Amino acid sequence: MQKQVNFEQAIKNKYPEQVVITIAKDKDGKANPVTLGWTMIVSGEPPMMAIAVYKGHYTVKCIRHSKCFTIAFPSADMADAALFFGSKSGRDTDKFTEFDCKTEPAKKIDSLLLTDAVANFECTLESQTTAGDHIIFVGKVVAAHTNAESKKRLYSIAPGHKLGPAS
Amino acid sequence: MQKQVNFEQAIKNKYPEQVVITIAKDKDGKANPVTLGWTMIVSGEPPMMAIAVYKGHYTVKCIRHSKCFTIAFPSADMADAALFFGSKSGRDTDKFTEFDCKTEPAKKIDSLLLTDAVANFECTLESQTTAGDHIIFVGKVVAAHTNAESKKRLYSIAPGHKLGPAS
């Protein structure tokens, strides 16, 4: 039986929710990673993926500057990196200097891949649409990578930024 | 270590992926449910959610006609309904007549809620953007509902439309 409640209450049913780390460079060439839960695939042919980024986030400036971004699926053992990248702002922090996280250059775009992630997707900016307090960035996937080792993906499993594997 | 592969290979790391059932009425008033995996929240204030729908799907016509839609989070015991709604087209099928699934009227929009779902979100159409072979529909959430019983949400847990709880 359905019971009408406010959005905040109903959306508590979303868990586990996927977690991605998006990386884009700013005008000074600094790669800025941010942790996001609001993401989806949006096209099969050609492959495209979307992220929703809070309009005040530094990542918005970075993507608008570089016109490309990486979407990484962090592995279940990367919870600390995801929490760090999600809680600091690239405006006043060089997150990759302050938190030790292995990266490697992307192959087709000017960005980085996360070496220990489950997968990485290199995207060129296709469109951007404002939706309420966020910007939806759609990226065309121009290169994709998986981890040579089999790893579990990281999820948000409960309110309060509780992160872990989904099962 | 990252290994470059094609998109199809890399995206196999997406599981478990959330599943939603979207319902919109066509011009004859027939409510048409469709099962989707490509969905995300896109705004907190005001609350908004997005879905990506293949451009050839009947749902595109229904949403463009009615300018509103429901997003239901099916419960883990609704796998058969999700498979049925995802494999038939509303062009030639009245899916709610052919598959027994409890519904109730939405409160704020002209659509239906799924009585046994974990949660239902009533959305008014806010924007639509073409992205490759899909249309991204953004909806503003105007009413939200949860199940009075505590239930697990349904996920796509492996390729080949394998559905079940995430854990």
Side-chain angles (χ1 to χ4, degrees):
Chain A
M1 200 183 74
Q2 295 296 307
K3 190 177 112 186
Q4 193 169 350
V5 293
N6 62 24
F7 177 76
E8 291 66 30
Q9 188 65 27
I11 205 63
K12 285 187 186 153
N13 292 290
K14 72 177 179 173
Y15 300 100
E17 183 183 54
Q18 60 202 337
V19 169
V20 301
I21 294 173
T22 286
I23 306 163
K25 290 193 177 178
D26 70 8
K27 63 178 172 37
D28 301 317
K30 181 179 78 181
N32 184 55
V34 70
T35 307
L36 304 171
W38 299 357
T39 180
M40 64 176 172
I41 307 163
V42 291
S43 174
E45 189 52 56
M48 293 187 185
M49 298 169 86
I51 50 174
V53 184
Y54 178 66
K55 58 189 181 187
H57 275 0
Y58 191 57
T59 294
V60 170
K61 272 193 196 303
C62 297
I63 294 178
R64 285 179 173 163
H65 165 75
S66 64
K67 308 271 193 294
C68 61
F69 53 93
T70 304
I71 295 178
F73 290 177
S75 56
D77 50 11
M78 291 173 71
D80 289 346
L83 286 169
F84 184 84
F85 297 155
S87 60
K88 302 287 177 179
S89 171
R91 260 190 202 85
D92 44 34
T93 314
D94 184 338
K95 301 188 202 177
F96 280 129
T97 300
E98 293 205 9
F99 191 97
D100 188 30
C101 180
K102 266 193 272 182
T103 61
E104 53 195 85
K107 299 284 189 274
K108 298 272 187 78
I109 65 170
D110 185 19
S111 184
L112 298 179
L113 311 179
L114 298 184
T115 303
D116 295 326
V118 167
N120 285 272
F121 301 89
E122 302 182 23
C123 300
T124 55
L125 180 60
E126 188 72 15
S127 72
Q128 49 183 304
T129 311
T130 299
D133 55 15
H134 280 58
I135 314 290
I136 301 172
F137 291 106
V138 173
K140 188 162 147 186
V141 180
V142 294
H145 311 262
T146 59
N147 202 304
E149 275 178 70
S150 170
K151 289 186 174 222
K152 285 201 169 200
R153 193 177 167 188
L154 186 70
Y155 285 81
S156 178
I157 51 176
H161 306 298
K162 198 170 170 215
L163 304 181
S167 58
Chain B
M1 200 183 74
Q2 294 295 307
K3 189 177 114 186
Q4 194 171 347
V5 294
N6 62 25
F7 177 76
E8 291 66 29
Q9 188 66 25
I11 205 64
K12 284 187 185 153
N13 292 291
K14 71 178 180 175
Y15 301 99
E17 184 183 53
Q18 60 203 336
V19 169
V20 302
I21 294 172
T22 285
I23 305 164
K25 289 193 178 178
D26 69 9
K27 62 178 172 36
D28 301 319
K30 181 179 78 181
N32 185 55
V34 69
T35 307
L36 303 170
W38 299 356
T39 181
M40 62 176 173
I41 307 162
V42 292
S43 173
E45 188 52 55
M48 294 187 185
M49 298 169 85
I51 50 173
V53 184
Y54 178 67
K55 59 189 180 186
H57 275 1
Y58 191 58
T59 294
V60 170
K61 271 192 198 303
C62 297
I63 294 177
R64 284 179 174 164
H65 165 75
S66 64
K67 307 274 193 294
C68 61
F69 54 93
T70 303
I71 294 177
F73 290 177
S75 57
D77 51 11
M78 291 172 71
D80 289 347
L83 285 170
F84 185 85
F85 297 155
S87 59
K88 302 286 178 180
S89 171
R91 261 191 200 84
D92 44 34
T93 313
D94 184 337
K95 300 188 202 178
F96 279 129
T97 300
E98 293 204 8
F99 192 97
D100 188 29
C101 180
K102 266 192 272 184
T103 63
E104 52 196 85
K107 299 284 187 275
K108 297 274 187 78
I109 64 170
D110 185 19
S111 185
L112 298 179
L113 310 179
L114 298 185
T115 303
D116 295 325
V118 167
N120 285 271
F121 301 88
E122 303 183 24
C123 300
T124 55
L125 181 61
E126 188 71 16
S127 71
Q128 50 183 303
T129 311
T130 299
D133 56 14
H134 279 59
I135 313 290
I136 300 172
F137 291 105
V138 172
K140 188 162 146 185
V141 180
V142 294
H145 311 262
T146 59
N147 202 304
E149 275 177 71
S150 170
K151 290 186 173 221
K152 286 202 166 200
R153 192 178 167 188
L154 186 70
Y155 285 81
S156 178
I157 50 176
H161 304 299
K162 198 169 170 215
L163 303 180
S167 59

